Amino acid sequence: MRSWFRLIAVILSVPSLAASLSDTASAQSAPATPTKVVFSLDFIPLGRHAPWYAALAEGYYKDEGLDVSIIPAQGTAQVIQAVESGIANIGFVDVPSVVIAHGNGSKLKIVAVNYEKAPYAVFSLANGANVTEPKQLEGLNLGSGAGSFTPKIIQGFMGQKGLDPSKLTISNVAPPARASALLSGQIPAIEFFVMSKPALEAGAKASNTELRTLLLADHGLELYGNGVATTEDYIAKNPDVLKRFVRASLKGWKFALANPPKAAADEIQYVPTLKPEGIVGEIAVVGDLAVTADTKKNGLGWFDPAKMKANVDFVTKYIGINGTPPAPTDIYATGFLPPSPVTP
């Protein structure tokens, strides 16, 4: 049992022919000398990041004339710092963090959204709190982290659902200890990104119980998750590079979602410490976040400006922003998705 806890703790802490021809012409016009691009993940490489490595291994970046290096991070704040300082050219960041960063003077803009559904989830056990409905958040003792804004998102969600946010108790449990605290019964529920689900399910099974997952996005939370972002300056100076990067990346996403075992093998070429089954499990989870009615219609990476405004409003009201809240158009830029949508 302890081995399960240790394993999980490591994992968790951590449309037209013309448009199609336009895409082909853009790829063929890529420079003879590849353009170097440094892309920062939001965390250390995990199974959820397989689409980016698939784009590398399957040659999609190379086909676009790009020499892409993927670097790790320790959370969105570090990604934003890396991109704004020039350590990375482009980063994988969550929309709420971009909104918050703008209150501190950031000039980062989202150009594509990969997680159409936000990954915030509440986990419990079938023989414990057994949380399956939002109303059960009232009276719940939830393990979370000091300094995290996720509890504020959960409480904001509760307010939107007509529930009393003050009835949710937040207990400080560090991320590495959160899984074991849940599985050993020390705390009835924890919050984590839903990508942690495969590892927690395995731990629950080893504990002779079943995991319960309450994904807030499945119950009405209208927030975007992570997407591709860069600075206004990079957008102005490298629009074609950015378009090629986004197109190649979305092809990687399409490939990974359609071919999880091969995408796992692709990622392992670059991150040999990962296990194929773990990668495949996380691909399934992020696939649920990425593939929606909107992306089936409009293509992967698509986002709705009206929903971006709703995201800014939510973050402003429930999380809080230093200074003047940004205008919705301050946090995103359009025109960087392929004219021929990359549909899942």
Side-chain angles (χ1 to χ4, degrees):
M1 184 65 65
R2 290 180 180 176
S3 62
W4 272 109
F5 292 166
R6 287 196 296 269
L7 173 61
I8 295 168
V10 170
I11 294 172
L12 297 182
S13 65
V14 265
S16 66
L17 176 59
S20 178
L21 290 174
S22 173
D23 284 354
T24 301
S26 295
Q28 290 176 343
S29 64
T33 301
T35 302
K36 292 185 179 295
V37 174
V38 179
F39 175 64
S40 176
L41 300 175
D42 57 330
F43 203 56
I44 60 172
L46 297 168
R48 67 200 69 171
H49 300 121
W52 311 104
Y53 290 98
L56 264 183
E58 299 299 325
Y60 299 137
Y61 290 130
K62 182 179 179 182
D63 291 345
E64 294 284 359
L66 302 176
D67 177 9
V68 175
S69 299
I70 299 177
I71 63 173
Q74 291 291 338
T76 296
Q78 191 177 92
V79 182
I80 293 174
Q81 291 174 356
V83 176
E84 291 186 331
S85 68
I87 293 174
N89 306 115
I90 304 168
F92 189 47
V93 299
D94 65 276
V95 173
S97 290
V98 172
V99 176
I100 293 170
H102 269 263
N104 295 316
S106 174
K107 299 298 182 182
L108 226 62
K109 290 198 172 188
I110 298 282
V111 297
V113 170
N114 301 95
Y115 297 165
E116 295 285 317
K117 294 158 60 175
Y120 309 111
V122 172
F123 295 104
S124 59
L125 300 177
N127 61 349
N130 196 37
V131 180
T132 59
E133 298 292 337
K135 63 184 179 182
Q136 294 173 272
L137 294 172
E138 288 189 335
L140 185 68
N141 182 12
L142 182 70
S144 183
S148 170
F149 63 65
T150 301
K152 292 183 179 180
I153 288 177
I154 297 173
Q155 290 169 327
F157 167 75
M158 291 176 68
Q160 289 185 326
K161 302 294 287 187
L163 303 171
D164 186 351
S166 69
K167 294 183 179 179
L168 176 68
T169 299
I170 305 299
S171 293
N172 183 29
V173 182
R178 220 172 286 171
S180 60
L182 173 67
L183 296 173
S184 63
Q186 297 175 51
I187 197 159
I190 59 173
E191 62 86 359
F192 256 137
F193 290 154
V194 73
M195 289 79 80
S196 304
K197 182 178 178 180
L200 286 170
E201 282 184 328
K205 184 177 181 180
S207 300
N208 298 313
T209 186
E210 294 181 0
L211 185 72
R212 294 289 183 258
T213 304
L214 182 73
L215 180 63
L216 304 189
D218 286 341
H219 295 269
L221 179 66
E222 293 291 330
L223 282 182
Y224 282 129
N226 283 44
V228 176
T230 189
T231 61
E232 291 180 354
D233 185 61
Y234 193 84
I235 290 172
K237 293 178 179 178
N238 304 279
D240 185 59
V241 172
L242 193 54
K243 289 178 182 178
R244 287 187 275 135
F245 176 84
V246 170
R247 181 165 51 238
S249 298
L250 296 181
K251 288 178 180 178
W253 273 82
K254 179 182 180 73
F255 179 87
L257 297 179
N259 306 277
K262 181 59 170 65
D266 286 345
E267 183 171 17
I268 288 172
Q269 291 182 44
Y270 302 93
V271 194
T273 55
L274 296 179
K275 302 298 182 183
E277 60 274 17
I279 297 175
V280 169
E282 289 204 13
I283 290 174
V285 175
V286 296
D288 178 62
L289 300 178
V291 181
T292 65
D294 283 338
T295 53
K296 288 178 181 179
K297 176 182 178 181
N298 301 298
L300 296 167
W302 181 86
F303 58 87
D304 180 5
K307 187 171 176 178
M308 282 291 192
K309 180 183 184 305
N311 277 229
V312 173
D313 292 343
F314 182 99
V315 172
T316 301
K317 181 175 181 179
Y318 296 111
I319 300 177
I321 297 175
N322 292 327
T324 303
T329 52
D330 289 341
I331 69 163
Y332 67 84
T334 58
F336 294 94
L337 296 176
S340 180
V342 180
T343 54

